[in-house]
Amino acid sequence: MSVSDRKLDNSSLDQEATNSHHVPVIDEEKITEPEYVSRGVRRMEKLKKVMSETKKGKHMRLLLCACIIITEFVVALDGSTTSSYQPYATSAFKHHSMLSTLSIATSIMSSVSQPIIAKIADVTSRPTCYILVLSFYTMGYIICAASSTISAYVIGSVFVTIGRSNIDMINTIILADIIPLKYLSLIHI
């Protein structure tokens, strides 16, 4: 095969390649909503509709946002003070070396629990999951306060961390669900 024959073959391949590429046309009338919408999403869409259309709904939205702000303040205050008291608690049990173990256990459980809690919020509803997370948070502090061993204290701290990290996540999800998109950038989520 000569050089000129190869040039002809390459040019014919290029023409075939350009002819074979076509731009797909999307028929906008055939685009439909997804078939499956979870229960949590449906409930929040109904709540958002009520909050945006009625006067009581607008008051309810303001009340809900105020409750979320108060909850976030309490969780932030707790997060900044609890870490100062953990060395004293572990020293009281004469296991000060468990402080690093406690830190690792709470970090792991915080990361592992978030996808699980997010799925629960999606399948059930946001308020149900919020109550679950708040109960983890409260139960963890009850266990910490009543602990007589370092193991009980670590378990209580893990429950507190699961509650704390997921309260932040659920608050973010709820705010993203109820606040109109044009105002969402004004709020630091």
Side-chain angles (χ1 to χ4, degrees):
M1 189 189 274
S2 69
V3 175
S4 62
D5 290 337
R6 280 191 232 152
K7 286 183 182 176
L8 287 175
D9 287 342
N10 287 340
S11 65
S12 64
L13 289 175
D14 290 339
Q15 284 178 350
E16 287 177 18
T18 49
N19 291 339
S20 66
H21 293 295
H22 65 281
V23 178
V25 178
I26 299 173
D27 188 9
E28 292 181 11
E29 294 175 4
K30 292 183 179 180
I31 298 175
T32 60
E33 292 293 319
E35 292 180 25
Y36 174 75
V37 177
S38 67
R39 187 180 324 165
V41 172
R42 282 186 302 205
R43 287 181 177 177
M44 286 309 289
E45 285 176 352
K46 289 177 185 176
L47 181 66
K48 185 177 180 178
K49 185 176 179 181
V50 168
M51 286 182 172
S52 63
E53 292 178 357
T54 64
K55 188 173 182 177
K56 281 187 175 183
K58 291 180 183 181
H59 292 294
M60 189 168 66
R61 179 185 295 171
L62 289 174
L63 181 65
L64 181 64
C65 288
C67 289
I68 288 174
I69 289 170
I70 291 169
T71 305
E72 282 293 326
F73 174 75
V74 170
V75 169
L77 182 66
D78 166 55
S80 64
T81 57
T82 303
S83 61
S84 302
Y85 299 124
Q86 282 182 343
Y88 295 111
T90 55
S91 292
F93 294 119
K94 296 183 179 24
H95 284 90
H96 189 70
S97 61
M98 288 290 286
L99 192 58
S100 59
T101 305
L102 175 65
S103 175
I104 292 169
T106 56
S107 296
I108 290 171
M109 290 307 293
S110 172
S111 301
V112 169
S113 67
Q114 286 188 352
I116 297 167
I117 297 295
K119 186 63 179 177
I120 292 171
D122 197 35
V123 170
T124 59
S125 68
R126 274 55 162 172
T128 303
C129 192
Y130 204 75
I131 291 169
L132 174 72
V133 168
L134 282 174
S135 63
F136 275 140
Y137 190 65
T138 306
M139 184 175 60
Y141 271 117
I142 291 171
I143 293 170
C144 283
S147 64
S148 59
T149 64
I150 190 67
S151 299
Y153 183 76
V154 169
I155 290 170
S157 294
V158 166
F159 276 108
V160 168
T161 303
I162 290 171
R164 182 185 304 137
S165 64
N166 288 303
I167 284 173
D168 290 339
M169 183 186 64
I170 297 294
N171 283 340
T172 302
I173 292 171
I174 290 173
L175 288 175
D177 283 343
I178 65 168
I179 294 177
L181 190 58
K182 64 182 179 180
Y183 299 120
L184 201 56
S185 64
L186 298 174
I187 297 175
H188 180 266
I189 295 181

